[in-house]
Amino acid sequence: MKKLSKIYGPLSTMKKLAVCAVLVFACVSAYAENKDFDKLSKIKEVEVMHIDKNMINLAAQSGAGLHIGDAINFDDEDGDMIKTINEIKIYHCEKKGAMEKFKKEATKILKAKKWQALIDQKGEEGEIVKIYQAKDGEQNSNVIFASEEDEVVVIVIDGAFDLTKAMGMGNNNEDGTQNEQ
């Protein structure tokens, strides 16, 4: 028995170290993606709101959904959809001079990463709404970029939450065929 523990003991430790290393690298890559958006908070006159997992869980438990101003309204009575969200960050700017820098930096971030554009809409009065998604396994980063003449907002939603499913854009069966609506 001592011989077996001498042989398998170090292998067991190596397996544990390998699993820990994989978990650390997965967390670091997800954190690095979010950290890019934190550059927006360094721009003068940009306001940031961070909603962490604890607040999101409270919203899920309440059964009233998640409502943050006019920007985010998830009506989710059972809380199943909301529970898949890990965090939400909202970056907001209303100052003319800072808005151009804010838009330029946000656009640069979204072009530098492998973001899938879901919606790109321009309104008659110049308002712009763009929605992007980046997937990393089961984890998703969803970004909503909205710009009007007097304000710019970037909303980053992270977690297993899939915006395409919430919007009814990704209703596929397990075999890849489209669900009928």
Side-chain angles (χ1 to χ4, degrees):
M1 191 67 153
K2 284 185 178 181
K3 265 192 173 194
L4 285 177
S5 64
K6 282 183 181 179
I7 295 170
Y8 291 110
L11 289 177
S12 176
T13 304
M14 293 296 279
K15 284 182 187 177
K16 289 177 188 174
L17 285 173
V19 169
C20 288
V22 167
L23 290 173
V24 167
F25 288 125
C27 292
V28 167
S29 69
Y31 177 73
E33 197 164 281
N34 292 336
K35 193 170 175 85
D36 288 342
F37 286 100
D38 287 341
K39 293 176 186 176
L40 298 175
S41 65
K42 292 182 171 84
I43 299 171
K44 199 172 191 168
E45 305 296 337
V46 171
E47 299 171 5
V48 181
M49 178 190 293
H50 179 248
I51 302 152
D52 69 2
K53 185 69 174 171
N54 293 327
M55 289 300 292
I56 293 166
N57 285 338
L58 287 173
Q61 291 171 358
S62 75
L66 181 62
H67 304 277
I68 304 164
D70 294 333
I72 298 174
N73 292 301
F74 294 116
D75 292 320
D76 185 18
E77 290 178 14
D78 57 6
D80 290 340
M81 180 178 63
I82 295 173
K83 288 178 189 173
T84 63
I85 299 172
N86 291 340
E87 74 173 343
I88 300 172
K89 284 192 177 181
I90 303 170
Y91 303 88
H92 180 256
C93 184
E94 291 182 345
K95 300 292 182 187
K96 282 282 185 204
M99 281 175 40
E100 288 307 314
K101 185 175 182 181
F102 182 80
K103 283 194 264 186
K104 185 178 179 180
E105 189 65 33
T107 302
K108 182 177 157 186
I109 292 167
L110 290 166
K111 285 185 178 180
K113 295 290 179 183
K114 294 183 179 178
W115 295 96
Q116 175 186 6
L118 303 177
I119 293 177
D120 189 352
Q121 179 181 4
K122 268 191 175 174
E124 292 177 12
E125 296 178 16
E127 64 274 4
I128 298 169
V129 175
K130 297 180 179 188
I131 300 177
Y132 298 87
Q133 184 177 60
K135 291 187 176 196
D136 185 16
E138 292 294 316
Q139 295 299 306
N140 297 310
S141 289
N142 303 282
V143 176
I144 303 167
F145 174 90
S147 173
E148 293 182 356
E149 185 177 320
D150 59 346
E151 71 177 324
V152 180
V153 178
V154 172
I155 302 168
V156 182
I157 305 170
D158 288 318
F161 175 74
D162 189 340
L163 192 57
T164 58
K165 289 180 183 174
M167 294 170 52
M169 296 170 63
N171 295 333
N172 291 336
N173 295 318
E174 287 182 22
D175 63 358
T177 59
Q178 189 75 17
N179 284 340
E180 292 186 31
Q181 295 184 3

